[in-house]
Coordinates of all heavy atoms in Angstrom, one line a residue:
M1 N -202.7 52.0 34.8 CA -203.3 51.3 35.9 C -204.5 52.0 36.5 O -204.3 53.2 36.8 CB -202.2 51.0 36.9 CG -202.7 50.2 38.1 SD -201.3 49.8 39.2 CE -201.7 50.8 40.6
E2 N -205.6 51.4 36.5 CA -206.8 52.0 37.0 C -206.8 51.9 38.6 O -206.5 50.9 39.1 CB -208.0 51.4 36.4 CG -209.3 52.2 36.7 CD -210.4 51.6 35.9 OE1 -210.3 51.4 34.7 OE2 -211.5 51.3 36.6
I3 N -207.2 53.0 39.2 CA -207.3 53.0 40.7 C -208.7 52.6 41.1 O -209.7 53.2 40.6 CB -206.9 54.4 41.2 CG1 -205.5 54.7 40.9 CG2 -207.2 54.5 42.7 CD1 -205.0 56.1 41.3
E4 N -208.8 51.7 42.0 CA -210.1 51.3 42.5 C -210.6 52.4 43.5 O -209.8 52.9 44.3 CB -210.0 50.0 43.3 CG -209.8 48.8 42.4 CD -211.0 48.4 41.6 OE1 -212.2 48.6 42.0 OE2 -210.8 48.0 40.4
L5 N -211.9 52.8 43.4 CA -212.4 53.8 44.2 C -212.3 53.4 45.7 O -212.0 54.2 46.6 CB -213.9 54.1 43.9 CG -214.5 55.2 44.7 CD1 -213.7 56.5 44.6 CD2 -216.0 55.4 44.2
S6 N -212.5 52.1 46.0 CA -212.4 51.6 47.4 C -211.0 51.8 47.9 O -210.8 52.2 49.1 CB -212.9 50.2 47.6 OG -212.1 49.3 46.8
D7 N -210.0 51.5 47.1 CA -208.6 51.7 47.6 C -208.3 53.2 47.8 O -207.7 53.6 48.8 CB -207.6 51.2 46.5 CG -207.7 49.7 46.4 OD1 -208.2 49.0 47.3 OD2 -207.3 49.1 45.3
A8 N -208.8 54.0 46.9 CA -208.6 55.5 47.1 C -209.3 56.0 48.3 O -208.7 56.7 49.1 CB -209.2 56.2 45.8
L9 N -210.5 55.5 48.6 CA -211.3 55.9 49.8 C -210.6 55.5 51.0 O -210.5 56.2 52.0 CB -212.7 55.4 49.7 CG -213.6 56.1 48.8 CD1 -215.0 55.5 48.7 CD2 -213.8 57.6 49.2
D10 N -210.0 54.2 51.0 CA -209.3 53.8 52.2 C -208.1 54.7 52.5 O -207.8 55.0 53.6 CB -208.8 52.3 51.9 CG -209.9 51.3 52.0 OD1 -211.0 51.6 52.5 OD2 -209.6 50.1 51.5
E11 N -207.3 55.0 51.4 CA -206.2 55.9 51.6 C -206.6 57.3 52.1 O -206.0 57.9 53.0 CB -205.3 56.0 50.4 CG -204.1 56.8 50.6 CD -203.2 56.9 49.4 OE1 -203.3 56.1 48.4 OE2 -202.3 57.8 49.3
L12 N -207.6 57.8 51.5 CA -208.1 59.1 51.8 C -208.6 59.2 53.2 O -208.4 60.1 54.0 CB -209.2 59.6 50.8 CG -208.7 60.0 49.4 CD1 -209.8 60.1 48.5 CD2 -207.8 61.2 49.5
L13 N -209.3 58.1 53.7 CA -209.8 58.0 55.0 C -208.6 58.0 56.0 O -208.7 58.7 57.0 CB -210.7 56.8 55.2 CG -211.3 56.6 56.6 CD1 -212.2 57.9 56.9 CD2 -212.2 55.4 56.6
E14 N -207.6 57.3 55.7 CA -206.4 57.3 56.6 C -205.8 58.7 56.7 O -205.4 59.2 57.8 CB -205.3 56.3 56.1 CG -205.7 54.9 56.3 CD -204.6 54.0 55.8 OE1 -203.4 54.4 55.6 OE2 -204.9 52.8 55.5
L15 N -205.7 59.4 55.6 CA -205.2 60.8 55.6 C -206.1 61.7 56.3 O -205.7 62.6 57.0 CB -205.0 61.2 54.1 CG -203.9 60.5 53.4 CD1 -203.9 60.9 51.9 CD2 -202.5 60.9 54.0
Q16 N -207.5 61.5 56.2 CA -208.4 62.4 56.9 C -208.3 62.2 58.4 O -208.3 63.1 59.2 CB -209.9 62.0 56.4 CG -210.9 62.9 57.1 CD -210.9 64.3 56.7 OE1 -211.0 64.6 55.6 NE2 -210.7 65.2 57.7
E17 N -208.1 60.9 58.8 CA -207.9 60.6 60.2 C -206.6 61.2 60.8 O -206.6 61.8 61.9 CB -208.0 59.1 60.5 CG -209.4 58.5 60.3 CD -209.4 57.0 60.2 OE1 -208.4 56.4 60.1 OE2 -210.6 56.5 60.3
A18 N -205.6 61.2 60.0 CA -204.3 61.9 60.4 C -204.5 63.4 60.5 O -204.0 64.0 61.4 CB -203.2 61.5 59.4
S19 N -205.2 63.9 59.5 CA -205.5 65.4 59.6 C -206.4 65.7 60.8 O -206.1 66.7 61.4 CB -206.2 65.7 58.2 OG -206.5 67.1 58.2
D20 N -207.4 64.9 61.1 CA -208.2 65.2 62.2 C -207.4 65.1 63.5 O -207.6 65.9 64.4 CB -209.4 64.2 62.3 CG -210.4 64.4 61.2 OD1 -210.4 65.4 60.5 OD2 -211.2 63.4 61.0
A21 N -206.5 64.1 63.6 CA -205.7 64.0 64.8 C -204.8 65.2 65.0 O -204.6 65.7 66.1 CB -204.9 62.7 64.7
A22 N -204.2 65.7 63.9 CA -203.4 66.9 64.0 C -204.2 68.1 64.4 O -203.7 68.9 65.3 CB -202.7 67.1 62.6
H23 N -205.4 68.2 63.9 CA -206.2 69.3 64.3 C -206.6 69.2 65.8 O -206.5 70.2 66.6 CB -207.5 69.4 63.5 CG -208.4 70.5 63.8 ND1 -209.5 70.3 64.6 CD2 -208.4 71.8 63.5 CE1 -210.1 71.5 64.8 NE2 -209.4 72.4 64.1
T24 N -207.0 68.0 66.2 CA -207.3 67.8 67.7 C -206.1 68.2 68.6 O -206.3 68.8 69.6 CB -207.7 66.3 67.9 OG1 -208.9 66.1 67.1 CG2 -208.0 66.0 69.3
E25 N -204.9 67.8 68.1 CA -203.7 68.1 68.9 C -203.5 69.6 69.0 O -203.1 70.1 70.1 CB -202.5 67.4 68.4 CG -201.2 67.7 69.1 CD -201.2 67.3 70.6 OE1 -202.0 66.5 71.0 OE2 -200.3 67.9 71.3
L26 N -203.7 70.3 67.9 CA -203.5 71.7 67.9 C -204.5 72.4 68.9 O -204.2 73.3 69.6 CB -203.7 72.3 66.5 CG -202.4 72.3 65.6 CD1 -202.8 72.9 64.3 CD2 -201.3 73.1 66.3
M27 N -205.7 71.9 68.8 CA -206.8 72.5 69.7 C -206.5 72.2 71.2 O -206.6 73.0 72.1 CB -208.2 71.9 69.4 CG -208.7 72.4 68.0 SD -208.8 74.2 67.7 CE -207.3 74.6 67.0
R28 N -206.0 71.0 71.4 CA -205.6 70.6 72.8 C -204.4 71.5 73.3 O -204.5 72.1 74.4 CB -205.1 69.2 72.9 CG -204.8 68.7 74.3 CD -203.8 67.5 74.4 NE -202.5 67.8 73.7 CZ -201.5 68.5 74.3 NH1 -201.7 69.1 75.5 NH2 -200.4 68.7 73.7
L29 N -203.4 71.7 72.4 CA -202.3 72.6 72.8 C -202.7 74.0 73.0 O -202.3 74.7 73.9 CB -201.2 72.5 71.7 CG -200.0 73.3 71.9 CD1 -199.3 72.8 73.2 CD2 -199.0 73.1 70.7
Q30 N -203.6 74.5 72.1 CA -204.1 75.9 72.3 C -204.8 76.1 73.6 O -204.6 77.1 74.3 CB -205.0 76.2 71.1 CG -205.5 77.7 71.1 CD -206.2 78.0 69.9 OE1 -206.2 77.3 68.9 NE2 -206.9 79.2 69.9
E31 N -205.6 75.1 74.0 CA -206.3 75.2 75.2 C -205.3 75.1 76.4 O -205.5 75.9 77.4 CB -207.4 74.1 75.4 CG -208.2 74.2 76.6 CD -209.5 73.4 76.6 OE1 -210.1 73.4 75.5 OE2 -209.8 72.9 77.6
E32 N -204.3 74.3 76.3 CA -203.3 74.1 77.3 C -202.5 75.4 77.5 O -202.2 75.8 78.6 CB -202.4 73.0 77.0 CG -201.2 72.8 77.9 CD -200.3 71.7 77.5 OE1 -200.8 70.6 77.1 OE2 -199.1 71.9 77.4
L33 N -202.2 76.1 76.4 CA -201.3 77.3 76.4 C -202.1 78.5 76.8 O -201.5 79.5 77.3 CB -200.7 77.5 75.1 CG -199.6 76.4 74.6 CD1 -199.1 76.7 73.2 CD2 -198.5 76.3 75.6
G34 N -203.4 78.5 76.5 CA -204.2 79.7 76.9 C -204.1 80.8 75.9 O -203.8 80.6 74.7
E35 N -204.4 82.0 76.3 CA -204.4 83.2 75.5 C -203.0 83.5 74.9 O -202.1 83.6 75.6 CB -204.9 84.4 76.3 CG -205.1 85.6 75.5 CD -206.3 85.5 74.5 OE1 -207.3 84.9 74.9 OE2 -206.1 86.0 73.4
S36 N -203.0 83.5 73.6 CA -201.7 83.7 72.9 C -200.9 85.0 73.3 O -199.7 85.0 73.2 CB -201.8 83.6 71.4 OG -202.6 84.7 70.9
A37 N -201.7 86.0 73.7 CA -201.0 87.2 74.0 C -200.2 87.0 75.3 O -199.2 87.8 75.6 CB -202.0 88.3 74.3
Q38 N -200.4 86.0 76.0 CA -199.7 85.7 77.3 C -198.6 84.7 77.1 O -197.9 84.4 78.1 CB -200.7 85.2 78.4 CG -201.9 86.1 78.6 CD -201.6 87.4 79.1 OE1 -200.7 87.5 80.0 NE2 -202.2 88.5 78.7
W39 N -198.4 84.2 75.9 CA -197.4 83.1 75.7 C -196.0 83.6 75.9 O -195.6 84.8 75.5 CB -197.5 82.5 74.3 CG -198.7 81.7 74.1 CD1 -199.7 81.4 75.0 CD2 -199.2 81.2 72.8 NE1 -200.7 80.6 74.4 CE2 -200.4 80.5 73.0 CE3 -198.6 81.2 71.6 CZ2 -201.0 79.9 72.0 CZ3 -199.3 80.6 70.5 CH2 -200.5 79.9 70.8
T40 N -195.1 82.8 76.4 CA -193.7 83.0 76.5 C -193.1 82.7 75.1 O -193.8 82.1 74.2 CB -193.0 82.1 77.5 OG1 -193.2 80.8 77.1 CG2 -193.6 82.3 78.9
D41 N -191.9 83.1 74.9 CA -191.2 82.8 73.6 C -191.2 81.2 73.4 O -191.4 80.8 72.3 CB -189.8 83.3 73.6 CG -189.7 84.8 73.5 OD1 -190.7 85.4 73.1 OD2 -188.7 85.4 73.8
E42 N -190.9 80.5 74.5 CA -190.9 79.0 74.4 C -192.3 78.5 73.9 O -192.4 77.6 73.1 CB -190.5 78.4 75.7 CG -190.4 76.9 75.6 CD -189.9 76.3 77.0 OE1 -189.1 77.0 77.7 OE2 -190.4 75.2 77.3
Q43 N -193.4 79.0 74.5 CA -194.7 78.6 74.1 C -195.0 78.9 72.6 O -195.6 78.2 71.9 CB -195.7 79.2 75.0 CG -195.7 78.6 76.4 CD -196.6 79.4 77.4 OE1 -196.6 80.6 77.4 NE2 -197.3 78.7 78.2
H44 N -194.5 80.1 72.1 CA -194.7 80.4 70.7 C -194.0 79.4 69.8 O -194.5 79.0 68.8 CB -194.2 81.8 70.4 CG -195.1 82.9 70.8 ND1 -196.2 83.2 70.0 CD2 -195.2 83.8 71.9 CE1 -196.9 84.2 70.6 NE2 -196.3 84.6 71.7
V45 N -192.8 79.0 70.2 CA -192.0 78.0 69.5 C -192.7 76.7 69.5 O -192.9 76.0 68.5 CB -190.6 77.9 70.0 CG1 -189.9 76.7 69.4 CG2 -189.8 79.2 69.8
T46 N -193.3 76.3 70.7 CA -194.0 75.1 70.8 C -195.2 75.1 69.8 O -195.5 74.1 69.1 CB -194.5 74.8 72.2 OG1 -193.3 74.7 73.1 CG2 -195.3 73.6 72.4
W47 N -195.9 76.2 69.8 CA -197.1 76.3 68.9 C -196.7 76.3 67.5 O -197.3 75.6 66.7 CB -197.9 77.6 69.2 CG -199.0 77.8 68.2 CD1 -198.9 78.7 67.2 CD2 -200.2 77.2 68.2 NE1 -200.1 78.6 66.4 CE2 -200.9 77.7 67.1 CE3 -200.8 76.2 69.0 CZ2 -202.2 77.2 66.7 CZ3 -202.1 75.8 68.6 CH2 -202.8 76.3 67.5
R48 N -195.7 77.0 67.1 CA -195.2 77.0 65.7 C -194.8 75.6 65.3 O -195.1 75.2 64.2 CB -194.0 78.0 65.6 CG -193.6 78.2 64.1 CD -192.2 78.7 63.9 NE -191.3 77.8 64.4 CZ -190.2 78.2 65.2 NH1 -190.1 79.4 65.5 NH2 -189.4 77.3 65.6
D49 N -194.1 74.9 66.1 CA -193.7 73.5 65.8 C -194.9 72.6 65.6 O -194.9 71.8 64.6 CB -192.7 73.0 66.8 CG -191.4 73.7 66.8 OD1 -191.0 74.4 65.9 OD2 -190.6 73.5 67.8
A50 N -195.8 72.7 66.5 CA -197.1 71.9 66.4 C -197.8 72.3 65.1 O -198.3 71.4 64.4 CB -197.9 72.1 67.6
W51 N -197.9 73.6 64.8 CA -198.6 74.0 63.5 C -197.9 73.4 62.3 O -198.5 72.9 61.4 CB -198.6 75.5 63.5 CG -199.2 76.1 62.2 CD1 -198.5 76.5 61.2 CD2 -200.6 76.1 61.9 NE1 -199.4 76.9 60.2 CE2 -200.6 76.7 60.6 CE3 -201.7 75.8 62.6 CZ2 -201.9 76.9 60.0 CZ3 -202.9 76.0 61.9 CH2 -203.0 76.5 60.6
E52 N -196.5 73.5 62.3 CA -195.8 72.9 61.2 C -196.0 71.4 61.0 O -196.1 70.9 59.9 CB -194.3 73.3 61.3 CG -194.0 74.7 61.1 CD -194.3 75.2 59.7 OE1 -194.1 74.5 58.7 OE2 -194.7 76.4 59.6
D53 N -196.0 70.7 62.2 CA -196.3 69.3 62.2 C -197.7 69.0 61.6 O -197.9 68.0 60.9 CB -196.1 68.7 63.6 CG -194.7 68.7 64.0 OD1 -193.8 68.8 63.2 OD2 -194.5 68.5 65.3
A54 N -198.6 69.8 61.9 CA -200.0 69.6 61.5 C -200.2 69.9 60.0 O -201.1 69.3 59.4 CB -201.0 70.4 62.3
R55 N -199.4 70.8 59.5 CA -199.6 71.1 58.1 C -199.3 69.9 57.1 O -200.0 69.9 56.1 CB -198.6 72.3 57.7 CG -199.1 73.6 58.3 CD -198.1 74.7 57.9 NE -198.1 74.9 56.5 CZ -197.0 75.5 55.9 NH1 -196.0 76.0 56.6 NH2 -197.0 75.6 54.6
E56 N -198.4 69.0 57.5 CA -198.1 67.9 56.6 C -199.3 67.0 56.3 O -199.7 66.8 55.1 CB -197.0 67.1 57.1 CG -196.6 66.0 56.1 CD -195.4 65.2 56.5 OE1 -194.8 65.4 57.6 OE2 -195.1 64.2 55.8
P57 N -200.0 66.5 57.4 CA -201.2 65.7 57.0 C -202.3 66.5 56.3 O -203.0 65.9 55.4 CB -201.7 65.2 58.4 CG -200.9 65.9 59.4 CD -199.8 66.6 58.8
W58 N -202.4 67.8 56.5 CA -203.4 68.6 55.8 C -203.0 68.6 54.3 O -203.9 68.5 53.5 CB -203.5 70.0 56.4 CG -204.0 70.0 57.8 CD1 -204.8 69.0 58.5 CD2 -203.8 71.0 58.8 NE1 -205.0 69.4 59.7 CE2 -204.5 70.6 60.0 CE3 -203.2 72.2 58.7 CZ2 -204.5 71.4 61.1 CZ3 -203.2 73.0 59.9 CH2 -203.8 72.6 61.0
W59 N -201.8 68.9 54.1 CA -201.3 69.0 52.7 C -201.4 67.7 52.0 O -201.8 67.6 50.8 CB -199.8 69.5 52.7 CG -199.3 69.6 51.3 CD1 -199.4 70.6 50.5 CD2 -198.5 68.6 50.6 NE1 -198.8 70.4 49.3 CE2 -198.2 69.1 49.4 CE3 -198.0 67.4 51.0 CZ2 -197.5 68.4 48.4 CZ3 -197.3 66.6 50.1 CH2 -197.0 67.2 48.8
L60 N -201.0 66.6 52.7 CA -201.1 65.3 52.0 C -202.6 64.9 51.7 O -202.8 64.4 50.6 CB -200.6 64.2 53.0 CG -199.1 64.2 53.2 CD1 -198.6 63.2 54.3 CD2 -198.3 63.9 51.9
L61 N -203.5 65.2 52.6 CA -204.9 65.0 52.3 C -205.4 65.8 51.1 O -206.0 65.3 50.2 CB -205.8 65.3 53.5 CG -207.3 65.2 53.3 CD1 -207.7 63.8 52.9 CD2 -208.0 65.6 54.6
D62 N -205.1 67.1 51.1 CA -205.5 68.0 50.0 C -204.9 67.5 48.7 O -205.6 67.5 47.7 CB -205.0 69.4 50.3 CG -205.5 70.4 49.4 OD1 -206.8 70.5 49.3 OD2 -204.7 71.1 48.8
S63 N -203.6 67.1 48.7 CA -203.0 66.7 47.4 C -203.6 65.3 46.9 O -203.9 65.2 45.7 CB -201.5 66.4 47.6 OG -200.9 67.7 47.9
A64 N -203.9 64.4 47.9 CA -204.5 63.2 47.5 C -205.9 63.4 47.0 O -206.3 62.7 46.0 CB -204.5 62.2 48.7
L65 N -206.7 64.3 47.6 CA -208.0 64.5 47.1 C -208.0 65.0 45.6 O -208.7 64.6 44.8 CB -208.7 65.6 48.0 CG -209.3 65.0 49.3 CD1 -209.7 66.2 50.2 CD2 -210.5 64.1 49.0
D66 N -207.0 65.9 45.4 CA -206.9 66.4 44.0 C -206.5 65.3 43.0 O -207.1 65.1 42.0 CB -205.7 67.5 43.9 CG -206.1 68.8 44.5 OD1 -207.3 69.1 44.7 OD2 -205.2 69.6 44.8
H67 N -205.6 64.5 43.4 CA -205.1 63.4 42.6 C -206.2 62.4 42.3 O -206.5 62.0 41.2 CB -203.9 62.7 43.3 CG -203.5 61.4 42.6 ND1 -202.9 61.3 41.4 CD2 -203.8 60.1 43.0 CE1 -202.7 60.1 41.1 NE2 -203.2 59.3 42.0
Y68 N -206.9 61.9 43.4 CA -207.9 60.9 43.2 C -209.2 61.4 42.5 O -209.8 60.7 41.8 CB -208.3 60.2 44.5 CG -207.2 59.3 45.0 CD1 -206.7 59.4 46.3 CD2 -206.8 58.2 44.2 CE1 -205.7 58.5 46.7 CE2 -205.8 57.4 44.6 CZ -205.3 57.5 45.9 OH -204.3 56.6 46.3
A69 N -209.5 62.7 42.7 CA -210.6 63.3 42.0 C -210.3 63.2 40.5 O -211.1 62.9 39.6 CB -210.9 64.7 42.5
E70 N -209.1 63.6 40.1 CA -208.7 63.6 38.7 C -208.6 62.2 38.2 O -209.1 62.0 37.1 CB -207.3 64.3 38.6 CG -206.9 64.5 37.1 CD -205.6 65.2 37.0 OE1 -205.4 66.2 37.7 OE2 -204.7 64.7 36.2
T71 N -208.1 61.3 38.9 CA -207.9 59.9 38.5 C -209.2 59.2 38.3 O -209.4 58.4 37.3 CB -207.0 59.2 39.5 OG1 -205.7 59.9 39.6 CG2 -206.7 57.7 39.0
T72 N -210.1 59.4 39.2 CA -211.4 58.7 39.2 C -212.5 59.4 38.4 O -213.5 58.8 38.1 CB -211.9 58.4 40.6 OG1 -212.2 59.7 41.3 CG2 -211.0 57.6 41.4
G73 N -212.3 60.7 38.1 CA -213.3 61.5 37.4 C -214.4 62.0 38.3 O -215.3 62.6 37.8
L74 N -214.2 61.9 39.6 CA -215.2 62.4 40.6 C -214.9 63.9 40.8 O -213.8 64.3 40.7 CB -215.1 61.6 41.9 CG -215.6 60.2 41.9 CD1 -215.2 59.5 43.2 CD2 -217.0 60.0 41.6
D75 N -216.0 64.6 41.2 CA -215.9 65.9 41.6 C -215.1 66.0 42.9 O -215.4 65.2 43.8 CB -217.3 66.6 41.8 CG -217.2 68.0 42.3 OD1 -216.9 68.9 41.5 OD2 -217.4 68.2 43.5
R76 N -214.1 66.8 43.0 CA -213.3 66.9 44.2 C -214.1 67.1 45.5 O -213.8 66.5 46.5 CB -212.2 68.0 44.1 CG -211.2 67.9 45.2 CD -210.3 69.2 45.2 NE -209.3 69.1 46.2 CZ -209.4 69.3 47.5 NH1 -210.6 69.5 48.0 NH2 -208.4 69.2 48.3
D77 N -215.0 68.1 45.4 CA -215.8 68.4 46.6 C -216.7 67.2 47.0 O -216.9 66.9 48.2 CB -216.7 69.6 46.4 CG -215.9 70.9 46.3 OD1 -214.7 70.9 46.8 OD2 -216.4 71.9 45.7
E78 N -217.2 66.5 46.0 CA -218.0 65.3 46.4 C -217.2 64.2 47.0 O -217.6 63.5 47.9 CB -218.7 64.8 45.1 CG -219.8 65.6 44.6 CD -220.4 65.1 43.3 OE1 -220.3 63.9 43.0 OE2 -221.1 65.9 42.6
L79 N -216.0 64.1 46.4 CA -215.0 63.1 47.0 C -214.7 63.4 48.4 O -214.7 62.6 49.3 CB -213.8 63.0 46.1 CG -212.7 61.9 46.5 CD1 -213.3 60.5 46.6 CD2 -211.6 62.0 45.5
A80 N -214.4 64.7 48.7 CA -214.0 65.2 50.0 C -215.2 64.9 51.0 O -215.0 64.5 52.1 CB -213.7 66.6 50.0
A81 N -216.4 65.2 50.5 CA -217.6 64.9 51.3 C -217.8 63.5 51.7 O -218.1 63.1 52.8 CB -218.9 65.5 50.6
M82 N -217.5 62.6 50.7 CA -217.6 61.1 50.9 C -216.5 60.7 52.0 O -216.9 59.9 52.9 CB -217.3 60.4 49.6 CG -218.3 60.5 48.6 SD -217.8 59.8 47.0 CE -217.3 58.1 47.4
V83 N -215.4 61.3 51.9 CA -214.3 60.9 52.9 C -214.7 61.5 54.3 O -214.5 60.8 55.3 CB -212.9 61.5 52.4 CG1 -211.9 61.4 53.5 CG2 -212.5 60.8 51.1
Q84 N -215.2 62.7 54.3 CA -215.5 63.3 55.6 C -216.7 62.5 56.2 O -216.7 62.2 57.5 CB -215.9 64.7 55.5 CG -214.6 65.6 55.2 CD -215.0 67.0 55.1 OE1 -216.1 67.5 55.1 NE2 -213.9 67.8 54.9
K85 N -217.6 62.1 55.4 CA -218.8 61.3 56.0 C -218.2 59.9 56.5 O -218.6 59.5 57.6 CB -219.8 61.0 54.9 CG -221.0 60.3 55.4 CD -222.0 60.1 54.3 CE -223.2 59.3 54.8 NZ -224.2 59.1 53.7
A86 N -217.3 59.3 55.7 CA -216.8 58.0 56.2 C -216.0 58.2 57.5 O -215.9 57.3 58.3 CB -215.9 57.4 55.1
A87 N -215.4 59.4 57.7 CA -214.6 59.7 58.9 C -215.5 60.1 60.1 O -215.0 60.3 61.1 CB -213.6 60.8 58.6
G88 N -216.8 60.2 59.8 CA -217.7 60.5 60.9 C -218.0 61.9 61.1 O -218.6 62.3 62.1
H89 N -217.6 62.8 60.1 CA -217.9 64.2 60.2 C -219.4 64.4 60.0 O -219.9 63.8 59.1 CB -217.1 65.0 59.2 CG -215.6 65.0 59.5 ND1 -214.8 66.1 59.2 CD2 -214.8 64.0 60.0 CE1 -213.6 65.8 59.6 NE2 -213.5 64.6 60.0
V90 N -219.9 65.3 60.7 CA -221.3 65.7 60.5 C -221.3 67.0 59.9 O -220.7 68.0 60.4 CB -222.1 65.7 61.9 CG1 -223.5 66.2 61.7 CG2 -222.0 64.4 62.6
P91 N -222.0 67.2 58.7 CA -222.0 68.5 58.0 C -222.8 69.5 58.9 O -223.7 69.2 59.5 CB -222.7 68.2 56.7 CG -223.4 66.9 56.9 CD -222.7 66.2 58.0
S92 N -222.3 70.7 58.8 CA -223.0 71.8 59.5 C -224.2 72.1 58.7 O -224.3 71.8 57.5 CB -222.1 73.0 59.7 OG -221.7 73.5 58.4
P93 N -225.2 72.8 59.3 CA -226.5 73.0 58.7 C -226.3 73.8 57.4 O -227.0 73.6 56.4 CB -227.3 73.9 59.7 CG -226.7 73.5 61.0 CD -225.2 73.2 60.7
D94 N -225.3 74.7 57.3 CA -225.1 75.5 56.0 C -224.4 74.7 54.9 O -224.4 75.1 53.8 CB -224.3 76.8 56.3 CG -222.9 76.5 56.8 OD1 -222.7 75.5 57.5 OD2 -222.0 77.3 56.6
E95 N -224.0 73.5 55.2 CA -223.4 72.6 54.2 C -224.4 71.7 53.6 O -224.1 71.0 52.6 CB -222.2 71.8 54.8 CG -221.0 72.6 55.3 CD -220.0 71.7 55.9 OE1 -220.1 70.5 56.0 OE2 -219.0 72.3 56.4
D96 N -225.6 71.6 54.1 CA -226.6 70.7 53.6 C -227.2 71.3 52.3 O -227.2 72.4 52.0 CB -227.7 70.4 54.6 CG -227.3 69.4 55.7 OD1 -226.3 68.7 55.4 OD2 -227.8 69.4 56.8

């Protein structure tokens, strides 16, 4: 069964959005908690749990990029760039 590129991009975009949301939540939590040297044991547990929760969407995106790059014959980095562009990411000047 051949995978349509548009279907792959749709799925990858959903995974990218989940990954972005997880990253945003980690940054929000980090700002809320402040300097890690000042964290209580409970705050360390909260951070660790949030980090573990965020790892799943990152891993799923990474795995899907590998799979779809192999399946479609596209370069993985090019595919990742297409997904990031579709998600509204702006490349940094050193990525151009």
Side-chain angles (χ1 to χ4, degrees):
M1 182 171 109
E2 190 172 311
I3 295 176
E4 290 288 326
L5 182 57
S6 63
D7 292 339
L9 286 174
D10 288 345
E11 182 178 344
L12 289 167
L13 184 56
E14 287 179 25
L15 291 169
Q16 181 68 58
E17 289 169 349
S19 180
D20 291 346
H23 180 260
T24 298
E25 177 58 20
L26 276 178
M27 295 300 96
R28 184 205 60 77
L29 182 60
Q30 185 173 346
E31 186 162 318
E32 178 184 310
L33 294 175
E35 187 65 40
S36 63
Q38 307 295 322
W39 290 354
T40 65
D41 288 343
E42 184 178 324
Q43 288 170 317
H44 279 284
V45 169
T46 298
W47 173 260
R48 186 197 65 225
D49 290 348
W51 176 259
E52 290 297 323
D53 289 345
R55 287 179 59 203
E56 182 175 0
W58 297 337
W59 179 83
L60 290 171
L61 175 60
D62 189 57
S63 297
L65 283 167
D66 287 343
H67 170 75
Y68 285 127
E70 183 178 317
T71 303
T72 62
L74 293 171
D75 178 78
R76 187 194 187 283
D77 291 338
E78 289 177 22
L79 183 58
M82 289 170 56
V83 172
Q84 289 181 357
K85 182 177 180 182
H89 291 217
V90 178
S92 62
D94 63 331
E95 292 178 3
D96 284 336

